[in-house]
């Protein structure tokens, strides 16, 4: 029976479209999963979305959607992007899935009944308009970091998890499993910064917002995100608090590895194992914390039009080129850099010059010299052994790099085959052999060795660049080589390659591409600015009761004069049925007093009186204004009496 292997990504927040940094993690995990499948494991690969919390509730409100409708949209968008970059997941879990929600409620209750969760109070600085708690250090100049308004010291009832109870057991687990946290350098950070100073209890419920899984025995509270989010790794397999687990859970838990970013290592190596200890569930074998993909040396920010998204990149360069770039751009343990220019450079140097060129040259020469037939004529030379040694030693090297999550290094080992094969072409000079009829057999062997090298390298590369590798195999009219045969050089008996090979990775003209990219960024920035304006001008939704507070009536202008000392103001005397009032209005740049006389206008009649340039204004005239400052009054469409109410 195949050995089981369970691998997961973090679940992405559904606060918006994921950028290339988030997508990197899905691509990385996909390569690891595909390679394990290739090695012969029975792999279960889970990814998904983290959909609850106040931030998401707010985002939904900003676009006038219910939180569920909002996360439905983003989850679909994330699935589309994962598909676009070829993420071969077995399960996409959403924290709004009914099964997950039910289990989280049961987990919460179990831990409460066990005494690990208790009711306490969350203390901090509270911003009433934002309904948010902040710690002292989060405040900006003592004010709310979101809206800049004053905050009050406040307390909120909340449930807490007793983290400290399990600290010693966790330390013991670290010591017994030195590779639990990978890279191991991150372990010291956890021990020294969090465990040694003493673990703080973790807030696991909130009552100031609604968008979360309700605590079923205390309706005021929703489960606060990490207990909800982390448990996805077991609920996705069908873990059941009451012990009626699905077969998947029995087969695949504990996870072989959780692949996550460096910013959330603490949650995965402290809180997650402790939750599991409290539930009496075995701990995952490994947490791998990868570095971050950074743009222009800094963090990606969605508020700038230059943020890089996988779908744009795929549109410009294709799926496999994007996969190749992000995987090679990330050095082990450190952050990687991404820019449009460096992607173009990498595509040209590695994919077009090294791999694509090797494949197209080999196929072209096979067609030219042998009518497309690859067949060994057994005329070997010493240089062949060097090539074969590189090709047949690659698999073991790749496995060892992949086991250490050094994916960029694994790719380097595979490309060593292609580099060596290109050098082999230079060394053997097939075009020279072709000129000499007596060297025809040697030429056949050279092209045979090249084809063997390509199909072995391509089979190894298929976990990383699945589509391109399949295309290469098709062009060679060969199957990708299975793991049992990956080190066997010389398996092809005879094959006829395709006549007109497709160009796999065309060389890109950086200038042309960058012009297109800059145009796209410019347009994107314009769109963002326009959206920003809409958001800024947008007012919150109001109830009909709010609207009913405003009294609107038809007012007829019976007198009008300029306000002295003011360029903008006119003083209007208006008639509202039996009543006469004075209104000061900022319309003098658009209308003369004479133009105003006799007009029937819309007026707010219950505004508190205000003094403008010494004149008491007893209401407000409504008018529309366009971007150029042009005004238009709102006037009745037939001759209705002044004083009429507007509803
Ligand atoms: O953290 N480069 O979700 P998320 C590489 N919902 N990886 C990056 C990155 C970058 N520039 N930016 C983010 C969350 N990531 C939680 C996880 S798991 C139970 C809950 C990584 O959408 C980040 O480190 O903010 C994380 O692993 C993943 O993308 C999702 O981030």
């Amino acid at each position: 029976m195949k050995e089981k292997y369970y691998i997961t990504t973090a679940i992405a927040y559904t606060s918006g479209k994921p950028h290339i940094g988030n997508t990197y993690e899905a691509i990385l995990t996909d390569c690891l999963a595909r390679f394990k499948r290739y090695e012969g494991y029975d792999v279960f690969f889970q990814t998904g979305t983290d959909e609850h919390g106040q931030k998401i509730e707010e985002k939904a409100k900003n676009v006038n959607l219910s939180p569920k409708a909002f996360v439905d949209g983003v989850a679909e968008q994330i699935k589309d992007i994962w598909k676009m970059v070829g993420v071969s997941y077995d399960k996409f879990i959403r924290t709004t899935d009914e099964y997950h929600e039910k289990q989280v409620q049961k987990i919460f209750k179990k831990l409460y009944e066990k005494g690990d969760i208790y009711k306490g109070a969350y203390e901090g600085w509270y911003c009433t308009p934002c309904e948010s708690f902040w710690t002292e250090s989060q405040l900006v100049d003592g004010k709310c970091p979101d809206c800049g308004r004053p905050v009050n010291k406040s307390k909120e009832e909340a449930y807490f998890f007793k983290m400290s109870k399990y600290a010693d057991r966790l330390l013991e687990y670290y010591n017994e499993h030195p590779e639990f946290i990978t890279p191991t350098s991150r372990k010291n950070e956890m021990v020294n910064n969090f465990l040694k100073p003493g673990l703080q209890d973790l807030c696991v419920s909130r009552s100031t917002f609604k968008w979360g899984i309700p605590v079923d025995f205390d309706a005021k509270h929703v489960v606060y995100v990490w207990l909800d989010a982390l448990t996805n790794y077991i609920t996705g397999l069908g873990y059941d608090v009451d012990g009626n687990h699905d077969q998947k859970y029995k087969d695949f838990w504990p996870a072989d590895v959780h692949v996550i970013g460096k910013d959330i290592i603490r949650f995965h190596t402290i809180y997650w194992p402790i939750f599991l200890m409290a539930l009496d569930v075995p701990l995952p074998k490994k947490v791998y914390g990868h570095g971050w993909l950074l743009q222009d040396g800094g963090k990606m920010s969605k508020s700038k039009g230059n943020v890089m998204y996988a779908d744009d990149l795929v549109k410009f360069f294709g799926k496999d080129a994007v996969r190749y770039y992000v995987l090679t751009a990330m050095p082990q343990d450190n952050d990687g850099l991404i820019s449009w220019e460096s992607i173009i450079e990498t595509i040209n140097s590695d994919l077009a010059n090294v791999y694509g060129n090797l494949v197209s040259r080999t196929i072209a020469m096979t067609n030219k010299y042998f009518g497309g037939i690859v067949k060994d004529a057994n005329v070997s030379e010493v240089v062949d052994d060097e090539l074969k040694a590189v090709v047949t030693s690659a698999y073991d090297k790749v496995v060892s790099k992949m086991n250490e999550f050094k994916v960029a290094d694994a790719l380097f080992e595979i490309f060593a085959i292609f580099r060596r094969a290109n050098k082999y072409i230079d060394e053997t000079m097939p075009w020279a052999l072709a000129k000499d009829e007596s060297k025809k057999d040697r030429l056949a062997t050279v092209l045979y060795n090249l084809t063997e090298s390509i199909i072995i390298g391509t089979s190894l590369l298929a976990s990383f660049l699945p589509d391109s590798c399949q295309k290469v195999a098709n062009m060679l009219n060969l199957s990708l080589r299975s793991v049992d045969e990956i080190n066997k050089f010389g398996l092809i008996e005879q094959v006829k390659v395709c006549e007109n090979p497709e160009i796999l990775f065309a060389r890109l003209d950086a200038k042309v591409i960058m012009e297109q990219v800059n145009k796209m960024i410019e347009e994107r920035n314009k769109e963002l600015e326009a959206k920003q304006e809409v958001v800024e001008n947008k007012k919150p939704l109001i109830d009909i009761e709010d609207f009913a507070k405003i009294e609107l009536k038809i007012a007829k202008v019976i007198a009008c004069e300029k306000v002295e000392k003011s360029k903008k103001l006119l003083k209007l005397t208006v008639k509202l049925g039996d009543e006469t009032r004075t209104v000061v209005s900022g319309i003098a740049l658009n209308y003369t007093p004479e133009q105003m006389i006799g007009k029937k206008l819309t007026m707010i009649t219950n505004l508190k009186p205000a003094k403008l340039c010494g004149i008491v204004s007893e209401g407000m005239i409504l008018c529309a204004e366009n971007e150029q400052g042009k005004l238009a009054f709102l006037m009745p469409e037939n001759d209705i009496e002044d004083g009429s109410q507007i509803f």
Side-chain angles (χ1 to χ4, degrees), residues 10-13 19 21-22 24-25 50 226 229-230 232-233 260-264 268 290-293 300 330:
I11 47 171
Y13 282 128
H19 52 57
N22 306 121
Y24 159 73
E25 182 175 297
D50 189 355
W226 284 100
L230 289 162
N232 90 84
Y233 300 128
I260 54 153
K262 60 178 186 177
D263 56 320
I264 52 173
H268 284 77
H290 59 75
W292 270 26
L293 206 49
M300 297 198 195
M330 192 67 95

Side-chain angles (χ1 to χ4, degrees), residues 32-51:
L32 294 165
R34 282 180 192 256
F35 196 73
K36 279 287 163 195
R37 287 189 200 115
Y38 182 67
E39 284 185 274
Y41 288 82
D42 180 6
V43 173
F44 194 77
F45 168 17
Q46 179 168 297
T47 183
T49 39
D50 189 355
E51 305 191 351

Side-chain angles (χ1 to χ4, degrees), residues 128-139:
T128 315
C130 295
E131 291 183 25
S132 292
F133 265 104
W134 304 105
T135 60
E136 184 85 39
S137 62
Q138 287 173 314
L139 300 180

Side-chain angles (χ1 to χ4, degrees), residues 425-440:
I425 296 181
D426 296 341
E427 288 163 344
T428 54
M429 296 193 289
W431 51 91
L433 297 173
K435 286 188 185 136
D436 184 345
E437 193 51 34
S438 70
K439 302 271 172 63
K440 191 109 198 209

Side-chain angles (χ1 to χ4, degrees), residues 259-271:
V259 178
I260 54 153
K262 60 178 186 177
D263 56 320
I264 52 173
I265 292 184
R266 176 160 62 106
F267 302 99
H268 284 77
T269 59
I270 296 179
Y271 302 143

